Amino acid sequence: MREGKGPSIQRLLDFGAALLQSLKSEMQKKFYITTAIYYVNGAPHLGHAYEKIITDIIARARRSLGQSVFFLTGLDEHGQKVQQAASEKGISPQAYCDEMAIQWQTFVARLNISNDDYVRTTQPRHKEVVKALLTKLHDQGDIYQAPYRGWYSARHETFLTDKDLRPDGTWDPAYGEVTELVEENWYFKMGQHQEWLVQYLESHPEFVQPDYRRNEVLGFLRAETLEDLCISRPSSRLSWGIPIPFAPDYVNYVWFDALVNYLSVPASMGDPATALVTGATATGASIWPPDLHVIGKDILKFHAVYWPIMLQAAGLPLPRQVLAHGFWQKDGQKMSKSTGNVVDPIAIIDEWGVDAFRYYVVRELDIGPDGNWTDEGFRQRYAAELANGLGNLVNRSLSMLRKYRAGRIGMVSQELADDAAEAVRGVEVCLRENRLQAGLAAVWTLVNRANLYVEQTKPFSLAKDPTQAKRLDEVLYNLAESCRVLAVVLWPFIPDTAQRIYAQLQVCGEPSQWRNSAWGGLEVGHETGEPIPLFPRKDLPPKA
Ligand code: MSP
């Protein structure tokens, strides 16, 4: 204690210093955002693409708005199904995963996803952290051994639950003989956290979003008793998993393993907040805890119940938010490969471009409810909103500037400045609240305003009247500048198109910084380039 200062003053000083320290680390902390990790044995489809795209838009928006971001996506590679698929192909599970991973990583690239890292649960960095967490929980007495009793299908080499029963209470003959089996296993003491989790969810309404999903979790937790979680599988039954360090004849249950991916990457990078689990010296960037887990509604229980309890038990700060999106259907029906009722994102991208795909899924479906893909709906939005809306605006603004002024900006004007500022503000509010569909609608208020402005001011008529030369300069400025502002606010959603607008305007750099959405970026004398259609019109097939 310093001389002359009483204990209460010292306490105040200590409090101030601690506050400053936590503010400092909060300011240094990156915005950490994740998608789920995808089963490596599945084929990438519309639902997976949607999740990656909405997460990418949130990540890009945060970067544009000045935050440091760490965006993680990846693959879930252990488990029975992978083991089976590999043995059917006659290759090792690892070789099978490596083969499939190429397809998944290409998928990410085709969607233009800006992830900072790509985690695979077979990577040593991940396996080490899973083992460290299991060891810690075991040493603390949070993991114990007990018999597991259940219905076992030898043909499928798996335990069945009541959910697998047919409506008449019998097992599907496809399971073969189903017998009751008792097996020693390892359990994580999850049940004891039930009361705490209810209180946590009640006092942190932002933790699970949308609200109705949070209510579902609370409803479940209030109505049912939370059981301890069986976290092991005997390696005699399942060998393709992470060995349990204190029980070498067992591998870790895949969901426990998979959830830890969110922790293993920051931990392997030396994040100070995770040293508690790894015991490693903390030297890396501050990422933990995750700011946002973006997942589908079907895996909410794992993320909003199991995961926070695992972290709480380990003494780690909890993720700040779990955002659950809905499920896509096609033509009002569940997508299924066997019936051919699927949307192939890559085929759509090949035909229409990545941004048409990104635009449609976000404009069509808000984050939360279920969505329905129709080819007709996609074509309509493409034609009306992209080709005739945005594409036409950029094309005619630049064409007229070239035709009447050789592409040169003649004067600066503020006529559409307020409309643009209002749209930008609207989009920003939506992006900060992860309301992406509303964000795109707000962008289109400026697209529509500027298109209307062309109709109202008729630059093609002004060009015929030499006394209107100044007015024409003014109008052309407002159009070109609106296009420039649009590029900046569109960047998170459709980055390729935003970049192409910048390129056609011959503005240097990337439209990736929100501050450049302020009106007045184009200067007198600036020369814009050739317009190239952003969304070429396609002839629609005749209606049946
Ligand atoms: N591997 C687990 C997740 C582990 S996360 C620690 C898994 N994988 S998955 O491949 O089945 O699903 C990955 C994500 O895609 C999940 O968030 C899931 O909700 C989402 N979707 C799967 N099908 C979907 C639709 N039809 N529509 C929208 N999203 C869907 O679960």
Side-chain angles (χ1 to χ4, degrees), residues 121 221 353 444:
T121 54
L221 281 172
W444 253 253

Side-chain angles (χ1 to χ4, degrees), residues 169-347:
T170 60
W171 303 109
D172 193 314
Y175 289 123
E177 195 187 351
V178 177
T179 47
E180 204 178 12
L181 202 79
V182 182
E183 178 178 278
E184 277 298 304
N185 264 307
W186 292 86
Y187 288 82
F188 166 52
K189 289 185 187 167
M190 196 160 71
Q192 65 188 14
H193 293 275
Q194 181 160 10
E195 212 173 298
W196 159 78
L197 187 59
V198 170
Q199 278 168 18
Y200 188 82
L201 283 161
E202 281 171 347
S203 58
H204 293 80
E206 75 294 345
F207 180 58
V208 177
Q209 283 297 311
D211 276 337
Y212 51 88
R213 296 283 175 225
R214 171 176 159 261
N215 292 338
E216 268 175 34
V217 179
L218 271 170
F220 156 79
L221 281 172
R222 286 183 187 130
E224 287 177 40
T225 305
L226 191 61
E227 306 286 341
D228 287 348
L229 182 68
C230 181
I231 52 130
S232 68
R233 299 289 182 268
S235 20
S236 53
R237 275 207 293 119
L238 172 70
S239 58
W240 189 235
I242 300 177
I244 296 198
F246 46 86
D249 294 339
Y250 291 84
V251 297
N252 192 203
Y253 166 49
V254 274
W255 263 103
F256 190 99
D257 160 358
L259 286 163
V260 177
N261 90 84
Y262 305 128
L263 173 65
S264 52
V265 172
S268 67
M269 288 160 54
D271 187 316
T274 62
L276 201 60
V277 170
T278 57
T281 331
T283 50
S286 188
I287 297 172
W288 193 265
D291 292 272
L292 193 59
H293 288 311
V294 180
I295 54 153
K297 63 177 185 178
D298 59 325
I299 56 173
L300 182 58
K301 190 168 145 189
F302 298 99
H303 286 80
V305 178
Y306 295 14
W307 182 224
I309 291 179
M310 285 160 66
L311 293 170
Q312 169 78 355
L316 288 175
L318 303 192
R320 291 177 177 155
Q321 190 166 91
V322 175
L323 181 61
H325 61 77
F327 258 48
W328 278 94
Q329 294 192 325
K330 180 167 188 260
D331 301 324
Q333 273 164 12
K334 192 172 184 270
M335 285 186 290
S336 147
K337 255 192 154 177
S338 52
T339 60
N341 190 47
V342 284
V343 178
D344 176 2
I346 299 299

Side-chain angles (χ1 to χ4, degrees), residues 111-129:
L111 295 168
N112 203 0
I113 302 300
S114 62
N115 55 308
D116 296 286
D117 204 336
Y118 195 87
V119 62
R120 296 180 52 189
T121 54
T122 50
Q123 289 165 338
R125 63 173 178 174
H126 171 72
K127 293 195 251 185
E128 270 163 33
V129 177

Side-chain angles (χ1 to χ4, degrees), residues 392-434:
N392 189 31
L393 172 70
V394 174
N395 205 264
R396 57 183 174 168
S397 301
L398 285 174
S399 301
M400 291 188 289
L401 198 56
R402 274 205 97 68
K403 189 164 165 198
Y404 307 135
R405 293 290 182 265
R408 211 169 275 278
I409 298 283
M411 68 177 292
V412 171
S413 160
Q414 302 294 322
E415 205 171 342
L416 289 184
D418 288 348
D419 295 285
E422 201 183 320
V424 170
R425 251 194 318 274
V427 186
E428 183 178 335
V429 169
C430 292
L431 285 175
R432 288 194 187 278
E433 294 170 356
N434 305 330

Side-chain angles (χ1 to χ4, degrees), residues 37-39 45 47-48 51 76 255 296 298-299 325-328:
I37 52 170
Y38 304 78
Y39 289 129
H45 64 56
H48 306 136
E51 182 173 296
D76 192 350
W255 263 103
D298 59 325
I299 56 173
H325 61 77
F327 258 48
W328 278 94

Side-chain angles (χ1 to χ4, degrees), residues 30-208:
K30 292 191 176 196
F31 183 85
Y32 178 26
I33 182 168
T34 68
T35 67
I37 52 170
Y38 304 78
Y39 289 129
V40 72
N41 55 304
H45 64 56
L46 171 62
H48 306 136
Y50 175 70
E51 182 173 296
K52 286 178 186 292
I53 290 169
I54 57 176
T55 313
D56 184 58
I57 295 171
I58 298 170
R60 285 179 188 266
R62 299 285 166 159
R63 291 194 199 102
S64 175
L65 287 160
Q67 255 176 306
S68 263
V69 171
F70 189 79
F71 172 11
L72 182 67
T73 187
L75 283 178
D76 192 350
E77 303 191 355
H78 290 124
Q80 195 79 42
K81 288 196 177 133
V82 175
Q83 189 173 300
Q84 260 161 17
S87 96
E88 276 160 26
K89 284 190 108 185
I91 55 176
S92 74
Q94 188 63 59
Y96 172 79
C97 290
D98 292 346
E99 213 172 81
M100 297 296 284
I102 297 171
Q103 182 191 359
W104 279 98
Q105 279 171 307
T106 309
F107 186 62
V108 170
R110 290 299 310 275
L111 295 168
N112 203 0
I113 302 300
S114 62
N115 55 308
D116 296 286
D117 204 336
Y118 195 87
V119 62
R120 296 180 52 189
T121 54
T122 50
Q123 289 165 338
R125 63 173 178 174
H126 171 72
K127 293 195 251 185
E128 270 163 33
V129 177
V130 171
K131 286 183 190 165
L133 180 62
L134 284 167
T135 306
K136 179 174 166 63
L137 294 176
H138 181 247
D139 291 352
Q140 285 175 188
D142 281 320
I143 291 178
Y144 63 92
Q145 197 171 22
Y148 179 89
R149 180 182 294 275
W151 294 101
Y152 187 72
S153 150
R155 184 182 293 171
H156 281 220
E157 295 181 22
T158 186
F159 275 96
L160 303 173
T161 67
D162 290 350
K163 275 193 246 141
D164 302 307
L165 281 169
R166 295 192 294 189
D168 66 358
T170 60
W171 303 109
D172 193 314
Y175 289 123
E177 195 187 351
V178 177
T179 47
E180 204 178 12
L181 202 79
V182 182
E183 178 178 278
E184 277 298 304
N185 264 307
W186 292 86
Y187 288 82
F188 166 52
K189 289 185 187 167
M190 196 160 71
Q192 65 188 14
H193 293 275
Q194 181 160 10
E195 212 173 298
W196 159 78
L197 187 59
V198 170
Q199 278 168 18
Y200 188 82
L201 283 161
E202 281 171 347
S203 58
H204 293 80
E206 75 294 345
F207 180 58
V208 177

